[in-house]
Amino acid sequence: MIATRRTLLKAGALGIGLAATPGLSVAARPRRTRVLLATNEPWGTYHAQPLLAEAVRRGWELVQVVPDLTQIKPGDPVPVATLSDVPQADLLVVNGASDWPADVAAALKRLPMAASSLAYLKPVEAPRAKEFRSRLELVTAASPAESDVFAAYLGWTHRVRMVGSAQTDNLPTYAPQKDRVLVLTSVTHPDQTGDAAPGTQLLLDAAAKLEAAGKHIVVGLHPREDRTLWEQYEISALGSVPESATAECAVGIPGTVFPIVAAVGVPLVGCVDPKLQVPDYILDVCSATIDAPEQAVDAIENAKPASRGAVFNAVGPIGGSARRLYSAWHATIQTTRCNLTAATPISIR
């Protein structure tokens, strides 16, 4: 089924999940272009949210395929569907090759496929990438560095189209406030939606050192982080990227948001646990990295913004990124449309 914050739309007899248009029969009604998305974090709708505005602008529908609705929060604006009644669509997009995207690809064998990087990955071929690699009509990534990593992750030897990151399409104006430090968390404990990253205790201890040195700490929580760990500080209601516009510096566990924050202009300090593994391009936007809390104050005081070259290598072209991504998807749909007459998805129910 497709679920949104307003209602739960049940698929009709033709399985297209759209309300009837007055004066137009269901059979005659044109269907909107629809893209299905399956991510490495099965319920991680926050990866799709930055792409919704462009879908609305084009009159498309972007639907994330999830295992079930148990982890979908009330008010989530991202339309979701389960494999048991997934709607008819024009393209399946995966953002990785872990078990869930691979399972969705196997279930929807008749749909054309694309792979679009929406979060950082490691430059090591995923074991299940080979299952659907030959079906990929298009592979996209944000930047030169991300393109290289995504190609290695997929075992892809062809072109990766660079489109930028939709999160940079509306960057806030940088207006830092003195002694305001943004803490960028990761995920302390793995859950059904995805893995965790090491380093939370190091970051907590570093934040305590910074507060003791007179810094005002505001926390940008990862969507899956345990909020209770950070409640002694101000927790941003805006989100990490908008909040970064007021920060004199940011410190955190390097992850997907780091290049976006660097693009705003904020100097970054990475808290790097010895067990942490992230691509070099994410570390390259950091002014410094620390592996002990005692290093935090000096690192913050001396932090400098990332160079324009490092930002471009990590995040790609800034502005118009969502349009470039959808244009690439559209071209793929157009070139494969002649094969879509029999492309009704297969349910695994």
Side-chain angles (χ1 to χ4, degrees):
M1 62 188 70
I2 300 176
T4 69
R5 59 183 172 182
R6 293 186 177 89
T7 187
L8 192 65
L9 301 178
K10 293 187 177 180
L14 297 182
I16 58 177
L18 296 176
T21 301
L24 186 64
S25 72
V26 172
R29 182 181 66 245
R31 179 176 62 77
R32 289 185 292 171
T33 299
R34 183 179 290 122
V35 173
L36 303 179
L37 175 67
T39 73
N40 277 352
E41 299 171 89
W43 293 273
T45 57
Y46 44 85
H47 293 307
Q49 191 164 349
L51 304 175
L52 294 182
E54 182 63 14
V56 171
R57 191 188 75 81
R58 289 177 180 254
W60 287 25
E61 187 173 17
L62 178 66
V63 178
Q64 183 159 334
V65 185
V66 296
D68 53 51
L69 302 180
T70 60
Q71 306 297 314
I72 302 301
K73 296 179 180 179
D76 193 323
V78 178
V80 299
T82 64
L83 279 173
S84 62
D85 55 2
V86 66
Q88 185 180 0
D90 302 283
L91 184 68
L92 170 63
V93 177
V94 295
N95 88 326
S98 64
D99 285 342
W100 179 243
D103 287 347
V104 173
L108 307 182
K109 293 180 179 179
R110 296 179 182 176
L111 274 179
M113 278 190 69
S116 294
S117 180
L118 302 176
Y120 89 85
L121 297 161
K122 297 173 185 177
V124 177
E125 183 175 337
R128 297 191 65 180
K130 62 182 179 228
E131 296 179 22
F132 58 76
R133 185 166 51 226
S134 63
R135 289 176 57 193
L136 294 175
E137 305 283 349
L138 169 75
V139 176
T140 73
S143 67
E146 188 176 275
S147 296
D148 290 343
V149 170
F150 201 37
Y153 173 86
L154 293 172
W156 183 252
T157 58
H158 307 291
R159 178 192 179 194
V160 176
R161 187 170 301 181
M162 185 174 68
V163 296
S165 170
Q167 292 188 73
T168 66
D169 286 350
N170 296 289
L171 290 176
T173 301
Y174 188 40
Q177 298 176 15
K178 183 174 174 55
D179 292 331
R180 188 174 179 87
V181 175
L182 174 65
V183 170
L184 298 169
T185 75
S186 185
V187 183
T188 303
H189 303 293
D191 56 24
Q192 288 179 300
T193 294
D195 294 331
T200 296
Q201 191 58 55
L202 172 60
L203 184 57
L204 281 165
D205 293 344
K209 294 287 186 182
L210 290 166
E211 185 179 49
K215 305 297 182 182
H216 177 76
I217 304 298
V218 57
V219 180
L221 282 181
H222 186 285
R224 293 191 290 111
E225 175 61 314
D226 180 356
R227 183 185 181 93
T228 62
L229 294 174
W230 299 96
E231 287 181 338
Q232 68 267 42
Y233 303 114
E234 175 188 350
I235 296 178
S236 173
L238 301 176
S240 297
V241 176
E243 194 67 65
S244 70
T246 63
E248 195 171 50
C249 190
V251 59
I253 300 172
T256 301
V257 77
F258 262 50
I260 313 300
V261 169
V264 174
V266 187
L268 283 156
V269 172
C271 258
V272 181
D273 185 278
K275 296 179 182 178
L276 182 68
Q277 294 181 327
V278 295
D280 288 342
Y281 72 86
I282 292 180
L283 298 178
D284 288 345
V285 299
C286 297
S287 174
T289 59
I290 62 173
D291 57 14
E294 293 76 19
Q295 301 166 346
V297 175
D298 284 346
I300 289 289
E301 293 290 355
N302 295 300
K304 304 293 183 185
S307 69
R308 292 177 64 182
V311 171
F312 179 81
N313 192 48
V315 82
I318 293 174
S321 298
R323 292 191 180 193
R324 283 188 290 272
L325 178 59
Y326 274 80
S327 293
W329 289 349
H330 177 70
T332 300
I333 291 169
Q334 290 296 100
T335 58
T336 58
R337 193 174 291 279
C338 62
N339 298 320
L340 290 179
T341 55
T344 302
I346 300 171
S347 171
I348 62 171
R349 182 170 58 182

